[in-house]
Amino acid sequence: MRSGKVWNARNAGWIGKLLLALVLLLPAVSVQREYAKAEGELLKTGNYYYSIAPNAGGLPDKGATGLISSENGVILDGLTTTYAGWMGSATAVGTVQVVIDLLKDYPLEAINIVMNAPNQYWGFKEFTVKYRSEATPDYYYIAGKHVRVGTALNNTVNLPMAGKTARFIVIDMKRAHSYQHIPLSEVQIYKGTGDEGQNPAPTYTAEQMQAELKKDAMMVDKYGQWIYETWDGKVTSDEQLRQEYAQEAAKLSKVKLNREKYDQYGGIKSGGQYEGTGYFRLEQIDGKWWFITPDGYKFFLKGVDAASLWEWGYGTPLKKADGTPRLVFEELPDPGAYAPAYANDANGERVSFLVANVMKKYGAGFEAKWEDITKKRLIDWGFNAFSKWTKPNFINDFPYIEVLQDPMTLKRIQWTYDVFDPEAPSIIEDALKARLNEIKNDRWLIGYTYDNEAGWNADIVKTVLTYDSESAAKNAFVDHIAAKYNNDIAAVNQLLGTSAESFDALKDTSINIANVPAAEVSDYIKLASRTFFSTIKGIIEKYDPNHLFLGSSIVPTWRTSLDWDSAAMEIVDAFSVDNYTNDPNWIARYESFNKPLLNLEFSFGTSQRGLSPVNASTNVPSIEERGLAFEDFVEGQASHPLFVGSGWFTYYDQAVTGRRDNENFNIGLVNQQDQPYTEMVQIMKSVNAGLEAVHENGG
């Protein structure tokens, strides 16, 4: 996930491709629901405008590219059987917006949003409702943010306004994945009590309404906290942060690894001692796979991802795409006093409230103090490794996994690259050899992953087949098919529906994947996989023969295929996935290969405090429920004999105001004010203490 390859299409990206045409014109079927008890006048004044013209639903909204009268449009007609809709597709925009101009300020009692789905292919991930009065022309406030819960097709959400004044209302609607269709059935705006504006102002034009859609909404305070909620422990002063440090430091002062139970690397002594090679390795013992520590003890990975204070994904952009400042912050950290909180590099110009808060909390020498607390926290909570992405700069005696990144100079094919390119091995080797040499003798290193969430599937093959002979991947396909058909060009032409005079000519011919037998597509993907993984394995072994190759963190049902995965099993030491789900039975997909399995990215989150969960299946109601979901999931995984460990993504929450790709997930063990989620981590502590026994005993 860290690289910006978000879940949006992971678990359901295949939905809609085959059935899209069947649902284009289905009418909205809704169940009348009791709206919130709003008793004010229902406003139907002014106009509204869509960021993207609806391509489904009723007239006059369907296809509308300009202003729509609130009196005539379908979303304010009082009927939940009419709707505006946006069809999903491979290229569908992730967020759809509508702005409503009431023509003058009104005090509002409530806003109801009705989103009734015609069938299971319709819905939304979340929506946000924003408003502004004429007195605040530059930015909006947020009336409410709603994350879809469960699988209900019909959704009515009431947002109390308590007399707040608004002329403009903006609704941002996000898809769960690119193929999801979004419905908007009804917007009900109830007038409240209080003073309203004077005579209606001139109607905003379509161009002015477009400008409204680009305006920010105020979101966070000087500590990076959501301004629209209060909660116990919300930071109100620097002194509070300093007191929390003193209290936690005293509590953790005696925390250290229990050496009666574990060896220095976290291997469990009660499981007996096996051959210690000086480095982490894997062994199947009594039918169950384990890591074995350098000293020879069984080790079950209980990792945490992105544990660095400096992780870029914890920052938030300072500017919008057009270079203008984002008006989402009540107050930014002083750039003089908190200069380390600001960065401008390949990941963009950003500020980290996390860094500023840590500086305020720990004072002089903040990084060393923070690292001491961080290591003690993880030991206290039962975690035993930095499992993926960044780790603290100066903690050198804690197991970790190294992520080797694919060079950006490789020839790209959609989300991956041309593994057949003859220049690829040397490009990769040049990029990796220095780091491999640097850490090849590190006993704390468990092993490597390479690249991230980027396998091959039929979509990649479909693209390759349109290339010409300049593509090594296309040449490899033709060579592969030629060998399978005894170099008989006539037979291959008949098979593929082509008329090439030779195999060289076929390499310059666009081929329709529909004409390629599924078995040939499968074999070609397996060939690509073996080429990819054997290349990386060879480079690692050339410079570092001591450590394990743990795969490339595949998402099981997104941007990969079982063909790609199965061929990898022949080469990797363990197979790693990133899987944001609540179902540990994903392991069944790989049971037949008898290969050690890792889940190096997973988490559970809530929609509290302005943050979002990763997806519907990992969304839970509360912080405590995050811990309980962790318990069910990790124990389910650990009970499987192939499973050897996991990595929680991530140590900290992302910023409420989002990272550069707009992710603002509640995924941390700790919030961005450096406050642990106590109700959750105490459950995790208990669970982690028993995971080796769960794995040993099968649940």
Side-chain angles (χ1 to χ4, degrees), residues 572-585:
V572 299
D573 297 304
F575 188 81
S576 58
V577 306
D578 292 350
N579 206 5
Y580 293 85
T581 178
N582 58 8
D583 183 3
N585 291 320

Side-chain angles (χ1 to χ4, degrees), residues 356-602:
N357 289 330
V358 166
M359 293 178 71
K360 294 172 184 178
K361 182 173 184 175
Y362 295 92
F366 68 91
E367 186 168 7
K369 295 174 184 175
W370 170 83
E371 287 195 349
D372 178 65
I373 287 290
T374 291
K375 184 178 178 182
K376 287 178 177 177
R377 282 173 177 168
L378 295 184
I379 292 172
D380 186 48
W381 301 339
F383 293 100
N384 61 12
F386 302 124
S387 47
K388 200 175 170 187
W389 304 122
T390 51
K391 67 185 187 69
N393 286 331
F394 305 109
I395 298 179
N396 299 315
D397 56 352
F398 206 65
Y400 69 100
I401 290 171
E402 180 81 3
V403 180
L404 302 171
Q405 296 273 239
D406 57 316
M408 293 308 296
T409 52
L410 294 167
K411 293 181 180 178
R412 311 304 297 184
I413 305 174
Q414 295 191 53
W415 58 81
T416 182
Y417 63 86
D418 189 340
V419 302
F420 296 104
D421 179 9
E423 296 181 0
S426 61
I427 293 172
I428 297 168
E429 183 174 347
D430 288 345
L432 302 186
K433 62 185 179 182
R435 183 59 174 162
L436 293 171
N437 269 322
E438 180 183 1
I439 59 179
K440 66 182 179 182
N441 296 318
D442 190 346
R443 293 171 176 263
W444 297 94
L445 172 62
I446 298 170
Y448 303 98
T449 63
Y450 171 80
D451 201 358
N452 192 60
E453 302 179 352
W456 279 38
N457 60 15
D459 289 336
I460 295 294
V461 179
K462 180 180 179 180
T463 298
V464 168
L465 294 181
T466 66
Y467 292 165
D468 59 23
S469 59
E470 292 295 312
S471 164
K474 178 64 172 295
N475 293 337
F477 174 81
V478 173
D479 291 342
H480 165 74
I481 205 79
K484 289 291 291 289
Y485 287 82
N486 299 316
N487 293 307
D488 185 341
I489 187 63
V492 171
N493 277 329
Q494 183 177 6
L495 177 77
L496 301 179
T498 53
S499 57
E501 294 182 356
S502 66
F503 285 109
D504 284 342
L506 186 60
K507 292 175 180 178
D508 283 313
T509 302
S510 182
I511 300 170
N512 185 345
I513 193 173
N515 295 331
V516 183
E520 303 304 342
V521 174
S522 172
D523 286 349
Y524 176 61
I525 292 174
K526 290 177 181 177
L527 174 63
S529 180
R530 286 191 291 269
T531 302
F532 171 88
F533 285 101
S534 61
T535 296
I536 306 307
K537 178 78 166 180
I539 292 170
I540 291 173
E541 289 183 338
K542 179 178 179 179
Y543 294 96
D544 179 2
N546 300 321
H547 293 105
L548 300 165
F549 180 28
L550 306 175
S552 56
S553 297
I554 290 296
V555 179
T557 57
W558 182 69
R559 291 184 172 179
T560 192
S561 60
L562 195 55
D563 296 320
W564 177 270
D565 299 351
S566 63
M569 299 290 182
E570 306 167 11
I571 299 161
V572 299
D573 297 304
F575 188 81
S576 58
V577 306
D578 292 350
N579 206 5
Y580 293 85
T581 178
N582 58 8
D583 183 3
N585 291 320
W586 66 265
I587 295 173
R589 177 180 173 91
Y590 302 115
E591 280 180 336
S592 64
F593 301 107
N594 193 32
K595 182 66 66 171
L597 299 173
L598 293 157
N599 185 359
L600 294 181
E601 285 191 27
F602 79 100

Side-chain angles (χ1 to χ4, degrees), residues 134-345:
E134 293 180 329
T136 56
D138 297 327
Y139 58 87
Y140 280 73
Y141 290 100
I142 294 177
K145 176 179 174 181
H146 176 74
V147 174
R148 186 179 180 189
V149 177
T151 57
L153 294 178
N154 299 326
N155 296 267
T156 298
V157 178
N158 171 256
L159 303 174
M161 292 294 290
K164 295 182 178 68
T165 300
R167 170 180 170 178
F168 296 95
I169 298 167
V170 172
I171 306 168
D172 297 342
M173 298 165 281
K174 293 184 179 181
R175 305 177 196 270
H177 53 82
S178 62
Y179 288 97
Q180 186 174 52
H181 317 315
I182 300 176
L184 180 58
S185 307
E186 195 71 11
V187 180
Q188 296 195 333
I189 306 166
Y190 289 94
K191 179 182 173 183
T193 57
D195 295 333
E196 61 184 70
Q198 298 301 309
N199 296 328
T203 299
Y204 264 38
T205 65
E207 290 74 19
Q208 289 174 306
M209 296 286 255
Q210 286 177 349
E212 290 299 310
L213 293 174
K214 296 177 182 178
K215 291 180 179 179
D216 292 314
M218 189 65 62
M219 297 175 71
V220 295
D221 64 14
K222 64 186 290 187
Y223 297 102
Q225 299 169 119
W226 184 245
I227 62 175
Y228 301 101
E229 288 180 39
T230 59
W231 56 85
D232 289 343
K234 189 174 185 179
V235 176
T236 58
S237 68
D238 295 1
E239 178 58 27
Q240 178 184 340
L241 288 172
R242 289 190 289 268
Q243 289 178 357
E244 288 174 354
Y245 169 46
Q247 293 166 359
E248 188 175 16
K251 180 180 177 181
L252 298 177
S253 62
K254 296 182 180 180
V255 167
K256 60 183 179 180
L257 187 65
N258 182 350
R259 292 301 305 279
E260 292 185 1
K261 183 175 181 180
Y262 301 105
D263 75 357
Q264 63 178 325
Y265 301 99
I268 192 159
K269 291 182 176 180
S270 61
Q273 189 170 16
Y274 297 82
E275 179 185 4
T277 62
Y279 299 97
F280 279 90
R281 63 184 183 86
L282 286 154
E283 183 176 345
Q284 192 170 29
I285 301 169
D286 297 328
K288 298 179 176 65
W289 280 102
W290 295 87
F291 284 108
I292 303 297
T293 68
D295 289 345
Y297 293 97
K298 293 177 179 177
F299 179 92
F300 189 85
L301 181 77
K302 299 176 284 190
V304 176
D305 297 337
S308 171
L309 177 63
W310 310 108
E311 164 65 37
W312 74 263
Y314 295 145
T316 190
L318 283 165
K319 297 177 181 179
K320 294 188 280 192
D322 62 6
T324 58
R326 298 177 72 203
L327 302 181
V328 297
F329 315 109
E330 278 190 339
E331 181 181 336
L332 286 165
D334 185 310
Y338 302 104
Y342 290 84
N344 189 1
D345 54 27

Side-chain angles (χ1 to χ4, degrees), residues 564-693:
W564 177 270
D565 299 351
S566 63
M569 299 290 182
E570 306 167 11
I571 299 161
V572 299
D573 297 304
F575 188 81
S576 58
V577 306
D578 292 350
N579 206 5
Y580 293 85
T581 178
N582 58 8
D583 183 3
N585 291 320
W586 66 265
I587 295 173
R589 177 180 173 91
Y590 302 115
E591 280 180 336
S592 64
F593 301 107
N594 193 32
K595 182 66 66 171
L597 299 173
L598 293 157
N599 185 359
L600 294 181
E601 285 191 27
F602 79 100
S603 60
F604 298 93
T606 77
S607 56
Q608 298 175 338
R609 306 181 187 181
L611 294 165
S612 301
V614 173
N615 57 37
S617 65
T618 61
N619 180 23
V620 296
S622 68
I623 293 168
E624 181 182 10
E625 288 288 339
R626 294 179 69 204
L628 296 173
F630 170 90
E631 179 176 21
D632 290 342
F633 185 62
V634 299
E635 288 185 348
Q637 292 181 129
S639 65
H640 199 284
L642 297 181
F643 196 74
V644 291
S646 58
W648 174 274
F649 188 88
T650 55
Y651 184 53
Y652 283 109
D653 286 333
Q654 294 170 339
V656 173
T657 47
R659 64 180 196 178
R660 65 179 182 183
D661 56 6
N662 296 317
E663 287 187 8
N664 72 334
F665 295 148
N666 171 226
I667 46 182
L669 305 174
V670 187
N671 65 25
Q672 287 224 335
Q673 294 68 50
D674 197 53
Q675 298 169 310
Y677 286 109
T678 304
E679 305 99 309
M680 178 179 73
V681 297
Q682 289 305 309
I683 294 171
M684 291 175 160
K685 177 177 181 177
S686 175
V687 172
N688 282 336
L691 277 186
E692 290 90 353

